[in-house]
Short mmCIF file of all heavy atoms in Angstrom, two decimals:
data_model
loop_
_atom_site.label_atom_id
_atom_site.label_comp_id
_atom_site.label_asym_id
_atom_site.label_seq_id
_atom_site.Cartn_x
_atom_site.Cartn_y
_atom_site.Cartn_z
N MET A 1 114.06 73.62 95.81
CA MET A 1 114.56 73.37 97.15
C MET A 1 113.37 72.93 98.01
O MET A 1 112.41 73.69 98.18
CB MET A 1 115.19 74.65 97.68
CG MET A 1 115.52 74.58 99.14
SD MET A 1 116.72 75.75 99.75
CE MET A 1 115.93 77.30 99.63
N PRO A 2 113.38 71.75 98.54
CA PRO A 2 112.28 71.25 99.39
C PRO A 2 112.22 71.99 100.72
O PRO A 2 113.25 72.40 101.25
CB PRO A 2 112.59 69.78 99.58
CG PRO A 2 114.02 69.61 99.26
CD PRO A 2 114.41 70.75 98.36
N THR A 3 111.03 72.16 101.22
CA THR A 3 110.86 72.82 102.51
C THR A 3 110.03 71.94 103.41
O THR A 3 109.23 71.13 102.98
CB THR A 3 110.16 74.20 102.36
OG1 THR A 3 108.87 73.97 101.78
CG2 THR A 3 110.95 75.13 101.49
N ASP A 4 110.24 72.11 104.69
CA ASP A 4 109.46 71.39 105.70
C ASP A 4 108.46 72.37 106.28
O ASP A 4 108.86 73.33 106.94
CB ASP A 4 110.41 70.86 106.78
CG ASP A 4 109.67 70.11 107.88
OD1 ASP A 4 108.41 70.02 107.81
OD2 ASP A 4 110.36 69.60 108.79
N PRO A 5 107.15 72.19 106.07
CA PRO A 5 106.16 73.16 106.52
C PRO A 5 106.17 73.38 108.03
O PRO A 5 105.79 74.44 108.50
CB PRO A 5 104.84 72.57 106.08
CG PRO A 5 105.12 71.36 105.32
CD PRO A 5 106.58 71.08 105.36
N GLU A 6 106.64 72.42 108.78
CA GLU A 6 106.65 72.58 110.24
C GLU A 6 107.79 73.46 110.72
O GLU A 6 107.65 74.20 111.67
CB GLU A 6 106.70 71.22 110.94
CG GLU A 6 105.45 70.39 110.71
CD GLU A 6 104.19 71.12 111.12
OE1 GLU A 6 104.15 71.73 112.21
OE2 GLU A 6 103.22 71.11 110.34
N THR A 7 108.94 73.40 110.08
CA THR A 7 110.09 74.20 110.52
C THR A 7 110.28 75.48 109.71
O THR A 7 110.92 76.40 110.17
CB THR A 7 111.38 73.35 110.44
OG1 THR A 7 111.59 72.95 109.09
CG2 THR A 7 111.32 72.18 111.36
N ASP A 8 109.72 75.56 108.51
CA ASP A 8 109.89 76.73 107.66
C ASP A 8 108.74 77.73 107.76
O ASP A 8 108.72 78.73 107.08
CB ASP A 8 110.08 76.31 106.20
CG ASP A 8 111.37 75.56 105.97
OD1 ASP A 8 112.27 75.68 106.83
OD2 ASP A 8 111.49 74.86 104.96
N ARG A 9 107.77 77.45 108.56
CA ARG A 9 106.60 78.31 108.70
C ARG A 9 106.97 79.61 109.40
O ARG A 9 107.71 79.60 110.38
CB ARG A 9 105.54 77.56 109.50
CG ARG A 9 104.22 78.31 109.57
CD ARG A 9 103.17 77.43 110.12
NE ARG A 9 102.95 76.35 109.16
CZ ARG A 9 102.26 75.28 109.43
NH1 ARG A 9 101.72 75.11 110.58
NH2 ARG A 9 102.10 74.35 108.50
N ARG A 10 106.45 80.74 108.92
CA ARG A 10 106.69 82.04 109.51
C ARG A 10 105.36 82.60 110.02
O ARG A 10 104.32 82.30 109.47
CB ARG A 10 107.26 83.04 108.49
CG ARG A 10 108.59 82.63 107.95
CD ARG A 10 109.68 82.88 108.99
NE ARG A 10 110.96 82.48 108.48
CZ ARG A 10 111.65 81.47 108.98
NH1 ARG A 10 111.20 80.75 109.96
NH2 ARG A 10 112.83 81.16 108.49
N THR A 11 105.44 83.41 111.07
CA THR A 11 104.25 84.08 111.60
C THR A 11 104.29 85.53 111.19
O THR A 11 105.31 86.20 111.36
CB THR A 11 104.20 83.95 113.13
OG1 THR A 11 104.14 82.59 113.48
CG2 THR A 11 103.00 84.69 113.70
N ILE A 12 103.20 86.05 110.66
CA ILE A 12 103.04 87.46 110.32
C ILE A 12 101.98 88.03 111.22
O ILE A 12 100.85 87.51 111.26
CB ILE A 12 102.68 87.66 108.85
CG1 ILE A 12 103.74 87.04 107.94
CG2 ILE A 12 102.48 89.14 108.52
CD1 ILE A 12 103.38 87.03 106.48
N THR A 13 102.33 89.11 111.94
CA THR A 13 101.39 89.75 112.85
C THR A 13 101.08 91.15 112.33
O THR A 13 101.99 91.96 112.16
CB THR A 13 101.98 89.85 114.28
OG1 THR A 13 102.37 88.56 114.70
CG2 THR A 13 100.98 90.44 115.24
N TYR A 14 99.80 91.44 112.06
CA TYR A 14 99.40 92.78 111.65
C TYR A 14 99.12 93.59 112.87
O TYR A 14 98.40 93.17 113.78
CB TYR A 14 98.14 92.72 110.75
CG TYR A 14 98.45 92.22 109.36
CD1 TYR A 14 98.38 90.88 109.07
CD2 TYR A 14 98.82 93.10 108.38
CE1 TYR A 14 98.68 90.41 107.80
CE2 TYR A 14 99.14 92.65 107.09
CZ TYR A 14 99.05 91.32 106.81
OH TYR A 14 99.34 90.86 105.57
N THR A 15 99.68 94.81 112.93
CA THR A 15 99.46 95.72 114.05
C THR A 15 98.38 96.71 113.68
O THR A 15 98.13 96.94 112.49
CB THR A 15 100.75 96.45 114.43
OG1 THR A 15 101.21 97.21 113.31
CG2 THR A 15 101.86 95.48 114.81
N ALA A 16 97.74 97.31 114.68
CA ALA A 16 96.60 98.20 114.44
C ALA A 16 96.95 99.43 113.62
O ALA A 16 96.25 99.79 112.69
CB ALA A 16 96.00 98.63 115.79
N GLU A 17 98.05 100.08 113.95
CA GLU A 17 98.39 101.33 113.23
C GLU A 17 99.86 101.34 112.83
O GLU A 17 100.49 102.42 112.81
CB GLU A 17 98.06 102.52 114.10
CG GLU A 17 96.59 102.70 114.31
CD GLU A 17 96.27 104.00 115.02
OE1 GLU A 17 97.08 104.94 114.93
OE2 GLU A 17 95.22 104.04 115.64
N GLY A 18 100.41 100.21 112.53
CA GLY A 18 101.83 100.18 112.19
C GLY A 18 102.14 99.11 111.22
O GLY A 18 101.33 98.75 110.38
N PRO A 19 103.33 98.57 111.29
CA PRO A 19 103.80 97.61 110.30
C PRO A 19 103.27 96.20 110.54
O PRO A 19 102.68 95.90 111.58
CB PRO A 19 105.32 97.64 110.53
CG PRO A 19 105.46 97.91 111.99
CD PRO A 19 104.34 98.89 112.31
N ALA A 20 103.52 95.34 109.57
CA ALA A 20 103.31 93.91 109.75
C ALA A 20 104.62 93.36 110.28
O ALA A 20 105.69 93.67 109.74
CB ALA A 20 102.95 93.26 108.41
N LEU A 21 104.57 92.58 111.32
CA LEU A 21 105.76 92.01 111.93
C LEU A 21 105.90 90.56 111.50
O LEU A 21 104.96 89.76 111.65
CB LEU A 21 105.64 92.10 113.46
CG LEU A 21 105.41 93.51 114.01
CD1 LEU A 21 105.21 93.46 115.51
CD2 LEU A 21 106.55 94.42 113.65
N ILE A 22 107.07 90.24 110.97
CA ILE A 22 107.34 88.90 110.47
C ILE A 22 108.48 88.27 111.22
O ILE A 22 109.54 88.91 111.38
CB ILE A 22 107.69 88.93 108.96
CG1 ILE A 22 106.58 89.62 108.18
CG2 ILE A 22 107.96 87.54 108.42
CD1 ILE A 22 106.95 89.84 106.72
N GLU A 23 108.27 87.06 111.70
CA GLU A 23 109.34 86.35 112.37
C GLU A 23 110.41 86.00 111.35
O GLU A 23 110.08 85.45 110.28
CB GLU A 23 108.83 85.08 113.04
CG GLU A 23 107.92 85.34 114.22
CD GLU A 23 107.42 84.06 114.84
OE1 GLU A 23 107.81 82.97 114.41
OE2 GLU A 23 106.63 84.17 115.77
N GLY A 24 111.66 86.35 111.63
CA GLY A 24 112.75 86.12 110.71
C GLY A 24 113.46 84.84 110.96
O GLY A 24 113.09 84.10 111.87
N PRO A 25 114.48 84.56 110.22
CA PRO A 25 114.99 85.34 109.09
C PRO A 25 114.05 85.25 107.90
O PRO A 25 113.31 84.29 107.76
CB PRO A 25 116.35 84.70 108.80
CG PRO A 25 116.24 83.30 109.30
CD PRO A 25 115.27 83.34 110.47
N VAL A 26 114.10 86.28 107.06
CA VAL A 26 113.22 86.32 105.90
C VAL A 26 113.98 86.74 104.65
O VAL A 26 115.05 87.36 104.72
CB VAL A 26 112.02 87.28 106.08
CG1 VAL A 26 111.15 86.85 107.23
CG2 VAL A 26 112.49 88.71 106.27
N GLU A 27 113.41 86.42 103.51
CA GLU A 27 113.87 86.89 102.22
C GLU A 27 112.66 87.48 101.51
O GLU A 27 111.67 86.78 101.28
CB GLU A 27 114.45 85.72 101.42
CG GLU A 27 115.01 86.12 100.09
CD GLU A 27 115.71 84.98 99.40
OE1 GLU A 27 116.79 84.61 99.86
OE2 GLU A 27 115.14 84.48 98.40
N LEU A 28 112.74 88.76 101.20
CA LEU A 28 111.62 89.46 100.53
C LEU A 28 111.99 89.73 99.09
O LEU A 28 113.12 90.15 98.81
CB LEU A 28 111.36 90.81 101.21
CG LEU A 28 111.11 90.79 102.72
CD1 LEU A 28 111.16 92.19 103.28
CD2 LEU A 28 109.77 90.14 102.99
N VAL A 29 111.06 89.52 98.18
CA VAL A 29 111.27 89.84 96.78
C VAL A 29 110.30 90.97 96.46
O VAL A 29 109.08 90.83 96.61
CB VAL A 29 111.02 88.62 95.87
CG1 VAL A 29 111.20 89.01 94.41
CG2 VAL A 29 111.94 87.48 96.24
N THR A 30 110.83 92.12 96.03
CA THR A 30 110.02 93.29 95.77
C THR A 30 109.37 93.19 94.37
O THR A 30 109.74 92.35 93.56
CB THR A 30 110.86 94.58 95.85
OG1 THR A 30 111.87 94.54 94.84
CG2 THR A 30 111.51 94.74 97.21
N ALA A 31 108.45 94.12 94.10
CA ALA A 31 107.76 94.14 92.81
C ALA A 31 108.70 94.30 91.64
O ALA A 31 108.46 93.80 90.56
CB ALA A 31 106.68 95.21 92.82
N ASP A 32 109.81 95.03 91.89
CA ASP A 32 110.77 95.25 90.79
C ASP A 32 111.84 94.17 90.72
O ASP A 32 112.80 94.27 89.96
CB ASP A 32 111.42 96.63 90.89
CG ASP A 32 112.25 96.83 92.15
OD1 ASP A 32 112.36 95.89 92.96
OD2 ASP A 32 112.77 97.94 92.31
N GLY A 33 111.70 93.11 91.51
CA GLY A 33 112.59 91.96 91.45
C GLY A 33 113.79 91.98 92.40
O GLY A 33 114.56 91.03 92.40
N ARG A 34 113.94 93.06 93.16
CA ARG A 34 115.04 93.07 94.15
C ARG A 34 114.78 92.05 95.24
O ARG A 34 113.62 91.79 95.58
CB ARG A 34 115.16 94.45 94.79
CG ARG A 34 115.65 95.54 93.90
CD ARG A 34 115.82 96.86 94.64
NE ARG A 34 114.56 97.29 95.23
CZ ARG A 34 114.42 97.64 96.51
NH1 ARG A 34 115.45 97.67 97.33
NH2 ARG A 34 113.25 98.01 96.98
N THR A 35 115.85 91.51 95.80
CA THR A 35 115.74 90.57 96.91
C THR A 35 116.34 91.23 98.13
O THR A 35 117.46 91.72 98.09
CB THR A 35 116.46 89.26 96.62
OG1 THR A 35 115.86 88.66 95.45
CG2 THR A 35 116.37 88.29 97.77
N ILE A 36 115.59 91.25 99.23
CA ILE A 36 116.04 91.80 100.48
C ILE A 36 116.10 90.66 101.48
O ILE A 36 115.08 89.99 101.71
CB ILE A 36 115.11 92.91 100.99
CG1 ILE A 36 115.02 94.05 99.97
CG2 ILE A 36 115.53 93.42 102.34
CD1 ILE A 36 113.91 95.05 100.27
N ARG A 37 117.26 90.44 102.05
CA ARG A 37 117.44 89.36 103.04
C ARG A 37 117.68 89.98 104.41
O ARG A 37 118.42 90.94 104.53
CB ARG A 37 118.63 88.48 102.66
CG ARG A 37 118.38 87.66 101.44
CD ARG A 37 119.59 86.79 101.10
NE ARG A 37 119.35 86.01 99.91
CZ ARG A 37 119.61 86.43 98.67
NH1 ARG A 37 120.12 87.63 98.49
NH2 ARG A 37 119.35 85.66 97.65
N SER A 38 117.05 89.40 105.41
CA SER A 38 117.25 89.86 106.80
C SER A 38 117.39 88.65 107.69
O SER A 38 116.57 87.74 107.66
CB SER A 38 116.07 90.72 107.25
OG SER A 38 116.26 91.08 108.61
N ASP A 39 118.44 88.66 108.50
CA ASP A 39 118.66 87.57 109.47
C ASP A 39 118.10 87.93 110.85
O ASP A 39 118.29 87.17 111.79
CB ASP A 39 120.17 87.29 109.60
CG ASP A 39 120.72 86.65 108.32
OD1 ASP A 39 119.95 85.93 107.66
OD2 ASP A 39 121.87 86.87 108.00
N ARG A 40 117.45 89.08 110.96
CA ARG A 40 116.91 89.49 112.24
C ARG A 40 115.79 88.53 112.68
O ARG A 40 115.13 87.90 111.85
CB ARG A 40 116.33 90.90 112.14
CG ARG A 40 117.42 91.91 111.79
CD ARG A 40 116.88 93.28 111.80
NE ARG A 40 116.60 93.63 113.19
CZ ARG A 40 116.26 94.83 113.59
NH1 ARG A 40 116.09 95.78 112.72
NH2 ARG A 40 116.04 95.07 114.86
N CYS A 41 115.55 88.45 113.99
CA CYS A 41 114.51 87.54 114.47
C CYS A 41 113.10 88.13 114.27
O CYS A 41 112.12 87.41 114.32
CB CYS A 41 114.76 87.21 115.93
SG CYS A 41 114.72 88.62 117.04
N LEU A 42 113.00 89.47 114.05
CA LEU A 42 111.71 90.09 113.80
C LEU A 42 111.93 91.20 112.78
O LEU A 42 112.80 92.06 112.96
CB LEU A 42 111.13 90.69 115.08
CG LEU A 42 109.68 91.12 115.03
CD1 LEU A 42 108.77 89.93 114.77
CD2 LEU A 42 109.29 91.78 116.33
N VAL A 43 111.15 91.19 111.71
CA VAL A 43 111.28 92.17 110.63
C VAL A 43 109.96 92.91 110.51
O VAL A 43 108.90 92.28 110.50
CB VAL A 43 111.61 91.46 109.28
CG1 VAL A 43 111.68 92.45 108.15
CG2 VAL A 43 112.94 90.70 109.42
N ALA A 44 110.02 94.25 110.43
CA ALA A 44 108.81 95.07 110.30
C ALA A 44 108.64 95.47 108.84
O ALA A 44 109.51 96.13 108.26
CB ALA A 44 108.92 96.29 111.20
N LEU A 45 107.50 95.10 108.25
CA LEU A 45 107.17 95.46 106.87
C LEU A 45 106.25 96.66 106.88
O LEU A 45 105.21 96.65 107.56
CB LEU A 45 106.42 94.32 106.19
CG LEU A 45 107.24 93.30 105.44
CD1 LEU A 45 106.31 92.36 104.70
CD2 LEU A 45 108.21 93.92 104.48
N CYS A 46 106.59 97.69 106.12
CA CYS A 46 105.78 98.91 106.04
C CYS A 46 104.47 98.65 105.33
O CYS A 46 104.45 98.07 104.24
CB CYS A 46 106.58 99.99 105.32
SG CYS A 46 105.69 101.52 105.08
N LEU A 47 103.36 99.10 105.92
CA LEU A 47 102.06 98.96 105.27
C LEU A 47 101.52 100.31 104.83
O LEU A 47 100.59 100.42 104.04
CB LEU A 47 101.06 98.30 106.22
CG LEU A 47 101.41 96.88 106.65
CD1 LEU A 47 100.38 96.36 107.62
CD2 LEU A 47 101.54 95.97 105.45
N CYS A 48 102.12 101.42 105.32
CA CYS A 48 101.61 102.77 105.00
C CYS A 48 102.32 103.40 103.82
O CYS A 48 101.90 104.42 103.30
CB CYS A 48 101.72 103.68 106.22
SG CYS A 48 103.41 104.16 106.65
N ARG A 49 103.43 102.80 103.38
CA ARG A 49 104.24 103.26 102.24
C ARG A 49 104.91 104.62 102.49
O ARG A 49 105.32 105.29 101.57
CB ARG A 49 103.43 103.31 100.95
CG ARG A 49 103.02 101.93 100.49
CD ARG A 49 102.34 101.99 99.14
NE ARG A 49 102.18 100.67 98.61
CZ ARG A 49 102.92 100.16 97.66
NH1 ARG A 49 103.86 100.86 97.12
NH2 ARG A 49 102.71 98.94 97.24
N ARG A 50 105.04 105.04 103.74
CA ARG A 50 105.73 106.31 104.06
C ARG A 50 107.20 106.09 104.37
O ARG A 50 107.94 107.05 104.49
CB ARG A 50 105.05 106.97 105.26
CG ARG A 50 103.67 107.48 104.97
CD ARG A 50 103.11 108.21 106.17
NE ARG A 50 101.80 108.75 105.88
CZ ARG A 50 100.68 108.28 106.37
NH1 ARG A 50 100.72 107.24 107.19
NH2 ARG A 50 99.54 108.83 106.03
N SER A 51 107.62 104.87 104.52
CA SER A 51 108.99 104.56 104.94
C SER A 51 110.00 104.93 103.86
O SER A 51 109.81 104.68 102.67
CB SER A 51 109.09 103.05 105.22
OG SER A 51 110.43 102.71 105.51
N SER A 52 111.11 105.51 104.30
CA SER A 52 112.19 105.84 103.35
C SER A 52 112.99 104.60 103.00
O SER A 52 113.79 104.66 102.07
CB SER A 52 113.11 106.90 103.95
OG SER A 52 113.77 106.41 105.10
N ILE A 53 112.76 103.51 103.68
CA ILE A 53 113.45 102.24 103.38
C ILE A 53 112.43 101.17 102.98
O ILE A 53 112.64 99.99 103.20
CB ILE A 53 114.33 101.76 104.56
CG1 ILE A 53 113.51 101.61 105.81
CG2 ILE A 53 115.51 102.68 104.77
CD1 ILE A 53 114.24 100.93 106.98
N TYR A 54 111.30 101.61 102.39
CA TYR A 54 110.24 100.73 101.97
C TYR A 54 110.80 99.57 101.13
O TYR A 54 111.66 99.81 100.31
CB TYR A 54 109.20 101.52 101.13
CG TYR A 54 108.01 100.68 100.73
CD1 TYR A 54 106.97 100.52 101.63
CD2 TYR A 54 107.96 100.10 99.48
CE1 TYR A 54 105.88 99.76 101.25
CE2 TYR A 54 106.88 99.33 99.13
CZ TYR A 54 105.84 99.15 100.02
OH TYR A 54 104.77 98.39 99.66
N PRO A 55 110.42 98.36 101.33
CA PRO A 55 109.26 97.84 102.02
C PRO A 55 109.47 97.61 103.53
O PRO A 55 108.57 97.15 104.22
CB PRO A 55 108.97 96.52 101.31
CG PRO A 55 110.30 96.03 100.89
CD PRO A 55 111.09 97.31 100.56
N LEU A 56 110.64 97.93 104.05
CA LEU A 56 110.89 97.80 105.49
C LEU A 56 110.38 99.05 106.20
O LEU A 56 110.40 100.13 105.65
CB LEU A 56 112.38 97.56 105.76
CG LEU A 56 112.97 96.33 105.07
CD1 LEU A 56 114.46 96.25 105.33
CD2 LEU A 56 112.29 95.07 105.52
N CYS A 57 109.97 98.90 107.43
CA CYS A 57 109.43 100.01 108.20
C CYS A 57 110.55 100.83 108.87
O CYS A 57 111.49 100.26 109.41
CB CYS A 57 108.49 99.46 109.27
SG CYS A 57 107.76 100.73 110.31
N ASP A 58 110.42 102.15 108.81
CA ASP A 58 111.34 103.05 109.53
C ASP A 58 110.60 103.89 110.58
O ASP A 58 111.10 104.88 111.03
CB ASP A 58 112.13 103.93 108.57
CG ASP A 58 111.24 104.96 107.87
OD1 ASP A 58 110.01 105.00 108.12
OD2 ASP A 58 111.79 105.76 107.07
N THR A 59 109.40 103.49 110.93
CA THR A 59 108.51 104.14 111.90
C THR A 59 107.95 105.48 111.44
O THR A 59 107.48 106.26 112.25
CB THR A 59 109.14 104.28 113.32
OG1 THR A 59 110.20 105.23 113.27
CG2 THR A 59 109.66 102.93 113.84
N SER A 60 107.96 105.76 110.17
CA SER A 60 107.39 106.99 109.65
C SER A 60 105.89 107.12 109.96
O SER A 60 105.38 108.21 110.08
CB SER A 60 107.58 107.09 108.13
OG SER A 60 108.94 107.26 107.82
N HIS A 61 105.22 105.99 110.10
CA HIS A 61 103.79 106.01 110.41
C HIS A 61 103.49 106.73 111.72
O HIS A 61 102.41 107.24 111.91
CB HIS A 61 103.24 104.57 110.44
CG HIS A 61 103.86 103.73 111.51
ND1 HIS A 61 105.03 103.03 111.28
CD2 HIS A 61 103.51 103.48 112.79
CE1 HIS A 61 105.36 102.38 112.37
NE2 HIS A 61 104.49 102.64 113.30
N ARG A 62 104.45 106.79 112.62
CA ARG A 62 104.24 107.43 113.92
C ARG A 62 103.99 108.94 113.79
O ARG A 62 103.33 109.54 114.62
CB ARG A 62 105.42 107.19 114.84
CG ARG A 62 105.57 105.78 115.24
CD ARG A 62 106.75 105.59 116.15
NE ARG A 62 106.96 104.19 116.46
CZ ARG A 62 108.02 103.72 117.06
NH1 ARG A 62 109.01 104.52 117.38
NH2 ARG A 62 108.13 102.45 117.32
N ARG A 63 104.54 109.55 112.73
CA ARG A 63 104.36 110.98 112.53
C ARG A 63 103.06 111.34 111.85
O ARG A 63 102.72 112.49 111.72
CB ARG A 63 105.54 111.53 111.70
CG ARG A 63 106.85 111.46 112.44
CD ARG A 63 107.98 112.08 111.65
NE ARG A 63 108.31 111.38 110.42
CZ ARG A 63 109.17 110.37 110.35
NH1 ARG A 63 109.77 109.92 111.42
NH2 ARG A 63 109.40 109.80 109.18
N HIS A 64 102.31 110.34 111.39
CA HIS A 64 101.08 110.56 110.62
C HIS A 64 99.93 109.76 111.20
O HIS A 64 99.36 108.90 110.55
CB HIS A 64 101.29 110.15 109.16
CG HIS A 64 102.37 110.89 108.46
ND1 HIS A 64 102.21 112.14 107.94
CD2 HIS A 64 103.67 110.58 108.23
CE1 HIS A 64 103.30 112.57 107.39
NE2 HIS A 64 104.23 111.61 107.57
N ARG A 65 99.57 110.06 112.43
CA ARG A 65 98.46 109.33 113.07
C ARG A 65 97.14 109.65 112.40
O ARG A 65 96.87 110.80 112.05
CB ARG A 65 98.38 109.70 114.57
CG ARG A 65 99.55 109.21 115.35
CD ARG A 65 99.38 107.75 115.62
NE ARG A 65 100.48 107.29 116.47
CZ ARG A 65 100.80 106.07 116.63
NH1 ARG A 65 100.11 105.12 116.03
NH2 ARG A 65 101.79 105.72 117.39
N ARG A 66 96.32 108.65 112.25
CA ARG A 66 94.96 108.85 111.73
C ARG A 66 94.08 109.41 112.85
O ARG A 66 94.19 109.00 113.97
CB ARG A 66 94.38 107.54 111.24
CG ARG A 66 95.06 107.01 110.05
CD ARG A 66 94.39 105.72 109.60
NE ARG A 66 95.15 105.16 108.50
CZ ARG A 66 95.14 103.86 108.21
NH1 ARG A 66 94.48 103.04 108.93
NH2 ARG A 66 95.85 103.43 107.19
N THR A 67 93.21 110.31 112.48
CA THR A 67 92.27 110.85 113.46
C THR A 67 90.95 110.12 113.28
O THR A 67 90.55 109.75 112.19
CB THR A 67 92.04 112.36 113.26
OG1 THR A 67 91.58 112.58 111.92
CG2 THR A 67 93.33 113.12 113.49
N SER A 68 90.24 109.90 114.40
CA SER A 68 88.96 109.20 114.30
C SER A 68 87.87 110.20 113.97
O SER A 68 87.94 111.38 114.30
CB SER A 68 88.64 108.52 115.62
OG SER A 68 88.62 109.46 116.66
N ASP A 69 86.87 109.74 113.23
CA ASP A 69 85.76 110.63 112.80
C ASP A 69 84.76 110.87 113.88
O ASP A 69 84.47 110.14 114.71
CB ASP A 69 85.05 110.04 111.57
CG ASP A 69 85.98 110.01 110.37
OD1 ASP A 69 86.89 110.86 110.31
OD2 ASP A 69 85.80 109.15 109.49
#
């Protein structure tokens, strides 16, 4: 399927202590081969692996703040 780099480009924003935010709609393929489709305009990807709906973020990172040394 051909794509147009100008219209199919997505922006991924990494947050300081939370998820990666991806402009949607998106299609994610997991390591085990599952496909997750989202038509939302913004999708949060879990980076801490605490989410019960991993690889999507459920804000579990908020309960486990890192302390500074």
Side-chain angles (χ1 to χ4, degrees):
M1 170 160 68
T3 61
D4 180 358
E6 293 306 313
T7 59
D8 293 341
R9 186 170 295 168
R10 298 285 179 247
T11 299
I12 301 172
T13 305
Y14 285 91
T15 61
E17 293 187 25
L21 304 175
I22 303 173
E23 292 180 2
V26 298
E27 181 174 290
L28 305 168
V29 179
T30 63
D32 63 2
R34 290 183 302 129
T35 299
I36 300 169
R37 291 181 180 88
S38 177
D39 291 329
R40 298 184 71 173
C41 62
L42 192 64
V43 177
L45 269 186
C46 177
L47 299 178
C48 71
R49 293 185 170 257
R50 291 185 178 108
S51 175
S52 64
I53 57 170
Y54 184 82
L56 303 175
C57 179
D58 68 0
T59 68
S60 292
H61 61 273
R62 292 181 184 168
R63 293 184 294 274
H64 300 278
R65 292 283 183 196
R66 292 182 185 154
T67 57
S68 58
D69 294 333

